[in-house]
């Protein structure tokens, strides 16, 4: 079983809708959880991180963490065509080693 | 402040050759991690260096090696290149220590070095 699993998509949503991206992780000892966005041909860039159960909001983005279910999600409100990218979920299990999912491709349709 | 700098950005090699990639981290960051990214495999962890010591290592053959210098700059080397080594190689830096000052050791990526092996 992989440490981090994501639905590869592609996920398509209309402009203005809410995009919901999901990620599960296998190790209950996972400590910190990250969402990165990667545009085609570019390197990943951090959207946000979360390490406590519950929700964390930053502008149009909300990360949700449920440690009991080993589940972390990212909601993008009012989706824009510029949000079209691959979204990578990552976790730190111990120390400073990150484990990345394979990413979910999101397309926002104008 | 300056971001993570990787050189070279693009390079073409032939099978059997070796290649060295360089990464300069964000000032103050002591941890440098290397990843290989291919379309089918996603981001694969190669290794992490912290204070000149390899702290974590992924499941890559010994042809892949790295090092870190006292100024935290890092290099990775791939010897005896194979066609399957064609990929985007990403370097990422982070503060690396515990506890992290911002609540989490955030990775900041460089632009990557795209290697093509012919």
């Amino acid at each position: 079983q992989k440490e981090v699993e994501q639905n590869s998509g592609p996920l398509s949503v209309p402009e203005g809708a809410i995009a919901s991206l999901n990620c599960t992780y296998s190790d209950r000892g996972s400590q910190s959880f990250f969402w990165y966005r990667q545009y085609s041909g570019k390197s990943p860039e951090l959207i946000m991180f979360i390490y406590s159960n519950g929700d964390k909001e930053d502008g149009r983005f909300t990360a949700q963490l449920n440690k009991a279910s080993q589940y972390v999600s990212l909601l993008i409100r009012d989706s824009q065509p510029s949000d079209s990218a691959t979204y990578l979920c990552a976790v730190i299990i111990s120390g400073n080693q990150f484990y990345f999912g394979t990413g979910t491709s999101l397309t926002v349709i104008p | 402040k300056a971001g993570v700098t990787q050189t070279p950005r693009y390079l073409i090699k032939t099978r059997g050759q070796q290649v060295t990639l360089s990464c300069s981290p964000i000032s103050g960051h002591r941890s440098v991690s290397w990843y290989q990214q291919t379309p089918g495999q996603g981001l694969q962890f190669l290794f992490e260096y912290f204070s000149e010591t390899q702290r974590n290592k992924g499941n890559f053959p010994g042809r892949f090696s790295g090092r870190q210098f006292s100024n935290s700059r890092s290099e990775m080397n791939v010897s005896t290149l194979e066609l399957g080594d064609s990929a985007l190689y990403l370097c990422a830096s982070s503060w690396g220590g515990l506890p992290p000052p911002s609540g989490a050791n955030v990775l900041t990526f460089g632009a990557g070095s795209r290697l093509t092996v012919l």
Side-chain angles (χ1 to χ4, degrees):
Chain A
Q1 183 184 8
K2 289 190 174 182
E3 290 86 2
V4 181
E5 305 236 26
Q6 293 181 256
N7 187 330
S8 62
L11 173 67
S12 294
V13 300
E15 184 175 354
I18 296 175
S20 178
L21 305 160
N22 304 315
C23 172
T24 58
Y25 57 95
S26 60
D27 194 314
R28 288 194 172 274
S30 299
Q31 301 167 348
S32 303
F33 308 85
F34 303 78
W35 283 101
Y36 282 82
R37 175 176 62 198
Q38 186 173 25
Y39 291 113
S40 180
K42 301 293 186 181
S43 59
E45 55 181 350
L46 179 74
I47 298 174
M48 60 196 308
F49 65 87
I50 185 169
Y51 50 85
S52 299
N53 265 334
D55 296 0
K56 179 180 179 181
E57 187 175 314
D58 184 0
R60 296 186 297 112
F61 299 92
T62 299
Q64 299 175 316
L65 175 61
N66 185 324
K67 289 189 175 181
S69 300
Q70 296 176 240
Y71 175 95
V72 58
S73 64
L74 180 70
L75 300 178
I76 307 175
R77 290 182 301 281
D78 188 25
S79 295
Q80 301 297 310
S82 59
D83 294 326
S84 297
T86 296
Y87 290 79
L88 301 167
C89 172
V91 306
I92 294 178
I93 295 175
S94 63
N96 198 41
Q97 185 164 353
F98 282 68
Y99 293 86
F100 282 85
T102 53
T104 298
S105 175
L106 172 67
T107 300
V108 180
I109 303 167
Chain B
K1 56 183 175 182
V4 179
T5 303
Q6 289 189 248
T7 57
R9 291 291 313 281
Y10 303 91
L11 64 168
I12 300 173
K13 295 285 187 178
T14 57
R15 279 180 298 175
Q17 287 187 310
Q18 73 166 12
V19 65
T20 299
L21 309 178
S22 179
C23 174
S24 293
I26 289 173
S27 178
H29 283 188
R30 295 160 62 193
S31 170
V32 173
S33 299
W34 289 90
Y35 292 84
Q36 181 195 66
Q37 188 173 38
T38 56
Q41 298 296 318
L43 272 171
Q44 301 291 308
F45 174 72
L46 282 153
F47 28 67
E48 183 221 0
Y49 286 87
F50 179 77
S51 294
E52 301 179 65
T53 300
Q54 187 181 85
R55 185 161 66 174
N56 290 297
K57 187 178 188 303
N59 296 320
F60 276 80
R63 300 186 297 107
F64 293 81
S65 62
R67 59 178 176 169
Q68 187 180 33
F69 303 95
S70 58
N71 61 357
S72 293
R73 190 178 71 84
S74 177
E75 291 181 346
M76 69 162 282
N77 184 78
V78 188
S79 62
T80 320
L81 284 166
E82 301 176 358
L83 294 179
D85 297 333
S86 294
L88 178 66
Y89 290 88
L90 290 162
C91 162
S93 76
S94 69
W95 189 76
L98 293 171
S102 61
N105 264 312
V106 173
L107 285 179
T108 301
F109 286 86
S113 294
R114 185 165 296 280
L115 170 65
T116 301
V117 182
L118 302 176

